Amino acid sequence: MPLPMEKRYTLADALTWDEQERIELIYGDPVMMSPPPVRIHQKASISLATQLNNYLSGKKCEVYAAPFAVRPFERDGDSPEDVDTMVEPDITVVCDPSKLDDIGCKGAPDLVMEILSPSTQRHDKLTKFNLYQRAGVREYWIVDPVSKSVQVFVLENGYYAAKDFGAVGDRLKVNILEDCTIDLSEVFPE
């Protein structure tokens, strides 16, 4: 479905779109999501979500895998017409249950992980990096299944600071979760 660019779109518009069309909103501009991810992307996503879900069992934080709508700038009292940014991170962790609703997450989640695809690298490394930083997402992971590596960024004084880097065989600490580590050999099996 082609969308004219002269209009500023909102969550109200997105809720009327065909569910088969996956579209993110970035400050009112629609961004068509790429075709379904390749198998290596899906394997990484399932491993990350599984490891986080196992750790979070019985705790207040919850993990969600895409598709899961995150409206990082939405505040209580905003109507769908007020919300002009909605993204679908690959992995989202939310520790404040009041941010969860039937649509997904309103406000900044605590942790976001994006798994790179050739068609999404620029979007994930620049557009979403800046968007998550501005929204106040406390921790951002950029997962590269091709190089089998992960970059970890932590929000410090309103800006992301590179916190860690890991590759196959490493265990990376999830900084927002006490004693939680991710085994990258499970994320990137040989």
Side-chain angles (χ1 to χ4, degrees):
M1 157 176 75
L3 299 171
M5 293 304 293
E6 64 271 2
K7 180 178 183 207
R8 177 185 166 272
Y9 290 90
T10 67
L11 177 61
D13 297 309
L15 293 174
T16 68
W17 295 337
D18 184 348
E19 290 182 22
Q20 301 301 320
E21 303 265 355
R22 292 192 49 218
I23 301 170
E24 293 182 325
L25 287 175
I26 308 291
Y27 306 116
D29 291 328
V31 178
M32 296 293 288
M33 297 197 53
S34 58
V38 295
R39 190 174 59 86
I40 191 170
H41 180 287
Q42 290 301 88
K43 287 183 76 67
S45 178
I46 288 170
S47 176
L48 289 164
T50 299
Q51 290 185 63
L52 285 165
N53 193 56
N54 289 342
Y55 172 82
L56 292 173
S57 179
K59 297 177 175 72
K60 81 172 187 174
C61 298
E62 295 183 30
V63 62
Y64 295 91
F68 179 73
V70 172
R71 293 108 56 209
F73 303 109
E74 183 175 340
R75 303 291 172 245
D76 286 337
D78 282 350
S79 71
E81 292 78 18
D82 298 324
V83 179
D84 70 354
T85 301
M86 178 185 71
V87 292
E88 290 186 5
D90 289 307
I91 305 290
T92 305
V93 174
V94 180
C95 295
D96 179 353
S98 72
K99 291 184 176 183
L100 298 171
D101 62 15
D102 289 341
I103 299 170
C105 177
K106 59 182 179 189
D110 296 276
L111 168 67
V112 166
M113 296 178 173
E114 293 287 4
I115 303 166
L116 300 179
S117 296
S119 63
T120 67
Q121 285 194 36
R122 179 177 172 76
H123 188 62
D124 292 339
K125 288 181 175 180
L126 294 174
T127 304
K128 284 189 168 181
F129 180 96
N130 290 319
L131 184 142
Y132 295 145
Q133 178 177 263
R134 182 172 171 248
V137 175
R138 295 169 40 208
E139 188 166 349
Y140 181 39
W141 286 36
I142 298 176
V143 181
D144 187 342
V146 173
S147 69
K148 298 184 177 185
S149 64
V150 176
Q151 292 176 287
V152 178
F153 299 91
V154 175
L155 199 63
E156 295 178 359
N157 300 315
Y159 296 96
Y160 279 138
K163 184 70 172 178
D164 210 346
F165 178 86
V168 176
D170 293 334
R171 292 186 73 86
L172 287 181
K173 177 174 180 13
V174 178
N175 296 278
I176 64 152
L177 301 172
E178 186 178 336
D179 300 324
C180 179
T181 59
I182 298 295
D183 183 352
L184 295 185
S185 64
E186 291 183 26
V187 176
F188 310 119
E190 299 292 329

